[in-house]
């Protein structure tokens, strides 16, 4: 115990000016688990358990009083909690929006557990389940993971989360970001005109810590999102809309002085931490959070979780507004930053059957010019805007002779599946990885695509481009990786009817896609 808690335990704080905030012991005014529970970042011996006490998601401070609240947690071998193997107490502080992060240790590898919380000795949370990772170096038969993100609350209901919650035996869900969108009600996001809102954001555009907190609480009040979190561990990252559209490290989208934008970014990143089941290493005490990390699954799979937002240089060609933005304009710059780039290169390869690059943005080159357009139409916020950085990454994969790299990503609000060419000017040439860019859970993209045969002619490495809503599910074994692109029938009403599934298969000895 630290000095202050020793003193307060002895009732000695008051006399020497160390009086802590009072503790709420009992008599909560309403059920405090209004945004559910979550687990994250599984290791062989444990995981993070998360909850945030909220009685009214849309109210100031989530309806919670400005008091500390003691929260007990329990981890059991069964969903009836007859065999509790770990338990303890954590404090929910108003400074952290009454969020609780517990890093549980000392558990057995690759085994399912159940968990729950009790607040102020009187209210019990819903039950969540989570599986630890396999032991380091172990031979592993199978791992199943999902990739999901881009969940604009106004664009659609979370039917895709409801379906994901029913997937059996999920080891981890990689969330590539856009967990929230920062716009006010009816500001339906970039180029969102013409999208039908099915529900409304509370509050205007987000700037303050309380704004971001309330937006997370509103999104997390959704029962299907809560069910998905309760069903499996998440590995959470963030993209642009957790802060501001298309931000790049210290640079906002609009012309705002950097020291002013820094305040907004700080508030946004604190709220992100408060609302995600992430480790204390991601506590927002530094100006740049260190959110990149690895999740290993024995010898079967290493997942490199990247942060393509916090350490990048500015987008080229005035964020793509200056046209044409030619390929040769885009050789400068970094998407990962020097430190993360070195960290990634150092950890690529090793004894793993599969290397998964879990990141936010389209990795392969994709030219979506219209038939009457002379110059390539390449997005500038994705790896196409950072060609030199992409050349370095793909070169590192090739130098190591790796054939087992699978990039997963999102952001585009479409499904895009393809083989990543070594040289972006030769898309029909040598391939170094495969990429599965998952479509959005609910966010729409009203941007018109060129005719399909035109896209195929310009992008021979692209195997699929479609406009479903849903997520990707990966079944990983030593012999092959099976990718199911899952979709929902609708997002315009709450309805868990599945839509079509498209399947691809990849073998670890060749970065090529096979249809199944
Ligand atoms: Fe998005
Ligand atoms: Ca995005």
């Amino acid at each position: 115990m630290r000095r202050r808690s020793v003193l307060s335990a002895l009732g000695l704080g008051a006399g020497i000016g160390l009086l802590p905030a009072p503790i709420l012991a009992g008599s909560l005014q309403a059920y405090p688990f209004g945004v559910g529970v979550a687990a994250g970042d599984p290791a062989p011996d444990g995981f993070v358990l998360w909850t945030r006490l909220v009685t009214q998601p849309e109210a100031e401070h989530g309806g919670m009083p400005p008091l500390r609240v003691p929260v007990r947690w329990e981890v059991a071998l069964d969903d009836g909690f007859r065999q509790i193997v770990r338990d303890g107490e954590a404090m929910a502080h108003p400074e952290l929006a009454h969020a609780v992060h517990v890093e549980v240790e000392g558990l057995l590898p690759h085994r399912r557990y159940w968990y729950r919380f009790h607040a102020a000795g009187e209210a019990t949370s819903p039950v969540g389940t989570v599986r630890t990772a396999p032991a380091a170096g172990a031979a592993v038969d199978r791992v199943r993971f999902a990739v999901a993100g881009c969940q604009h609350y106004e664009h659609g209901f979370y039917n895709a989360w409801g379906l994901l919650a029913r997937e059996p035996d999920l080891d981890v869900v990689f969330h590539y970001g856009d967990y929230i969108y920062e716009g006010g009600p009816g500001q339906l996001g970039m180029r969102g005109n013409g999208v039908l809102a099915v529900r409304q954001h509370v509050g205007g555009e987000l700037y303050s810590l309380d704004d971001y907190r309330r937006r997370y609480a509103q999104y997390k009040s959704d029962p299907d999102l809560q069910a998905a979190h309760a069903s499996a561990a998440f590995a959470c990252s963030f993209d642009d809309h957790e802060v501001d559209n298309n931000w790049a490290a210290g640079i906002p989208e609009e012309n705002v002085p950097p020291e002013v934008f820094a305040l907004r970014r700080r508030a946004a990143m604190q709220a992100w931490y408060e609302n995600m089941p992430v480790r204390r290493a991601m506590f927002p005490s530094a100006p740049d959070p260190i959110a990149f990390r690895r999740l290993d699954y024995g010898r079967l799979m290493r997942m490199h979780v990247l942060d393509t937002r916090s350490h990048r240089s500015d987008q080229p060609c005035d964020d793509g507004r200056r046209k044409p933005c030619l390929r040769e304009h885009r050789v400068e710059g970094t998407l990962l930053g020097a430190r993360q780039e070195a960290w990634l290169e150092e950890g690529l390869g090793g004894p793993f059957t599969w290397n998964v690059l879990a990141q936010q943005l389209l990795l392969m080159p994709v030219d979506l010019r219209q038939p009457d357009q002379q110059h390539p139409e390449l997005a500038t916020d994705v790896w196409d805007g950072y060609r030199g950085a992409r050349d370095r990454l793909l070169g590192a994969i090739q130098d190591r002779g790796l054939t087992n790299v699978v990039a997963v990503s999102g952001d585009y609000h479409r499904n895009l599946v393809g083989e990543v060419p070594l040289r972006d000017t030769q898309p029909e040439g040598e391939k170094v990885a495969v990429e599965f860019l998952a479509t959005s859970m609910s966010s729409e993209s009203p941007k018109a695509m060129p005719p399909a045969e035109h896209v195929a002619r310009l992008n021979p490495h692209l195997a699929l481009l479609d406009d479903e809503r849903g997520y990707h599910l990966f079944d990983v074994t030593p012999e092959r990786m099976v990718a199911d692109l899952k979709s929902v029938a609708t997002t315009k009403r709450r309805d868990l009817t599945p839509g079509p599934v498209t399947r691809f298969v990849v073998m670890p000895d060749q970065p090529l896609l096979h249809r199944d």
Side-chain angles (χ1 to χ4, degrees):
M1 280 211 284
R2 276 193 258 130
R3 178 180 161 80
R4 184 176 303 208
S5 37
V6 173
L7 292 174
S8 61
L10 297 171
L12 295 175
I16 49 172
L18 286 174
L19 186 68
I23 295 175
L24 182 75
S27 72
L28 282 160
Q29 297 300 303
Y31 186 65
F33 294 103
V35 294
V37 299
D41 281 24
D45 71 334
F47 33 69
V48 180
L49 296 182
W50 173 94
T51 190
R52 177 183 159 200
L53 304 183
V54 167
T55 54
Q56 298 168 268
E58 295 174 8
E60 193 180 17
H61 303 306
M64 290 296 293
L67 300 169
R68 297 189 296 159
V69 183
V71 178
R72 283 200 67 70
W73 54 270
E74 295 170 324
V75 175
L77 293 172
D78 61 298
D79 61 356
F81 290 84
R82 285 174 293 276
Q83 290 177 270
I84 294 173
V85 290
R86 285 283 180 285
D87 62 350
E89 188 171 282
M91 192 61 81
H93 295 278
E95 291 90 335
L96 277 175
H98 292 98
V100 172
H101 296 79
V102 179
E103 296 195 30
V104 183
E105 296 173 340
L107 302 176
L108 295 172
H110 223 204
R111 160 145 220 163
R112 178 165 300 285
Y113 294 92
W114 283 263
Y115 63 93
R116 67 183 176 190
F117 300 90
H118 308 281
E122 60 184 56
T124 299
S125 75
V127 172
T129 184
V130 51
R131 190 145 70 175
T132 49
V140 180
D141 293 342
R142 165 168 274 125
V143 160
R144 282 160 62 81
F145 74 94
V147 175
C150 283
Q151 50 191 60
H152 201 300
Y153 188 80
E154 298 190 319
H155 288 193
F157 288 98
Y158 292 162
N159 301 326
W161 282 123
L163 286 175
L164 184 143
R166 297 177 178 177
E167 297 286 0
D169 283 333
L170 265 184
D171 282 283
V172 66
V173 179
F174 169 60
H175 197 295
Y176 56 76
D178 287 1
Y179 195 105
I180 57 165
Y181 284 76
E182 80 282 16
Q187 296 174 353
L188 287 169
M190 35 184 309
R191 299 184 296 268
N193 306 326
V195 176
L196 174 74
V198 300
R199 44 190 182 178
Q200 246 192 3
H201 281 160
V202 171
E205 180 153 352
L206 312 179
Y207 293 101
S208 76
L209 178 54
D210 280 338
D211 295 341
Y212 285 101
R213 285 170 166 170
R214 181 162 67 171
R215 185 62 52 83
Y216 278 106
Q218 184 183 20
Y219 276 49
K220 283 175 160 286
S221 66
D222 183 279
D224 292 312
L225 180 57
Q226 287 186 22
H229 274 296
S231 75
F234 275 49
C236 292
S237 63
F238 49 83
D239 193 27
D240 53 338
H241 290 288
E242 279 83 352
V243 182
D244 179 30
N245 185 45
N246 284 4
W247 66 283
I251 305 155
E253 184 186 32
E254 308 299 338
N255 290 326
V256 176
E259 71 276 17
V260 175
F261 176 64
L263 299 173
R264 183 184 193 183
R265 183 180 169 203
R266 207 54 194 265
M269 292 316 303
Q270 178 172 340
W272 177 80
Y273 173 81
E274 289 170 350
N275 284 282
M276 296 295 131
V278 292
R279 292 189 181 271
R280 204 170 169 79
M282 279 162 259
F283 192 88
S285 49
D288 279 337
I290 300 302
F292 53 88
R293 71 265 198 202
R294 297 189 179 96
L295 300 179
D296 289 347
Y297 286 83
R299 278 190 316 223
L300 181 60
M301 180 177 88
R302 164 166 272 189
M303 183 182 274
H304 311 258
V305 178
L306 306 186
D307 173 357
T308 52
R309 230 5 109 177
S310 304
H311 316 285
R312 67 155 83 186
S313 47
D314 200 10
Q315 292 91 346
C317 306
D318 191 20
D319 292 14
R321 283 184 284 256
R322 195 148 37 81
K323 304 253 174 161
C325 185
L326 302 174
R327 281 200 168 97
E328 46 270 34
H329 294 155
R330 304 160 181 227
V331 289
E332 304 289 331
T334 174
L335 200 54
L336 301 176
R339 179 177 164 191
Q340 184 176 196
E341 238 177 72
W343 167 89
L344 177 57
E345 288 199 18
E346 182 199 307
L348 261 179
F352 305 95
T353 306
W354 299 97
N355 275 274
V356 174
L357 297 181
Q359 44 103 46
Q360 292 72 37
L361 302 166
L362 179 66
L363 174 63
M364 61 189 155
V366 173
D367 182 357
L368 291 176
R369 81 180 91 172
Q370 298 292 342
D372 59 352
Q373 238 176 303
Q374 193 196 343
H375 295 292
E377 180 73 28
L378 309 167
T380 51
D381 188 56
V382 303
W383 288 87
D384 261 336
Y386 299 80
R387 284 185 67 203
R390 181 169 60 198
D391 287 346
R392 290 195 293 279
L393 171 59
L394 301 183
I397 294 170
Q398 203 203 27
D399 287 349
R400 285 163 180 72
L402 296 176
T403 56
N404 62 11
V405 176
V406 177
V408 298
S409 51
D411 171 63
Y412 224 91
H413 304 180
R414 312 252 171 176
N415 282 308
L416 284 151
V417 178
E419 297 164 351
V420 184
L422 176 63
R423 291 174 197 85
D424 51 20
T425 50
Q426 294 170 25
E428 67 296 327
E430 187 183 349
K431 308 299 193 298
V432 283
V434 296
E435 178 170 16
F436 293 92
L437 185 147
T439 190
S440 52
M441 294 303 256
S442 61
S443 307
E444 303 208 352
S445 175
K447 192 177 169 189
M449 291 286 134
E453 62 279 13
H454 183 70
V455 173
R457 197 164 52 245
L458 285 172
N459 303 279
H461 57 301
L462 201 59
L464 178 133
L465 166 61
D466 74 20
D467 195 14
E468 303 289 342
R469 303 279 79 75
Y471 56 90
H472 291 183
L473 183 73
F474 296 86
D475 193 272
V476 188
T477 65
E479 294 77 36
R480 54 189 219 152
M481 189 180 293
V482 178
D484 283 337
L485 283 53
K486 301 238 174 168
S487 67
V488 292
T490 181
T491 58
K492 298 305 174 192
R493 59 179 185 280
R494 195 171 175 220
D495 175 355
L496 301 194
T497 308
V501 179
T502 308
R503 174 168 287 188
F504 289 90
V505 179
V506 186
M507 260 58 97
D509 60 346
Q510 270 189 322
L512 299 176
L513 293 160
H514 306 272
R515 287 301 278 263
D516 190 66

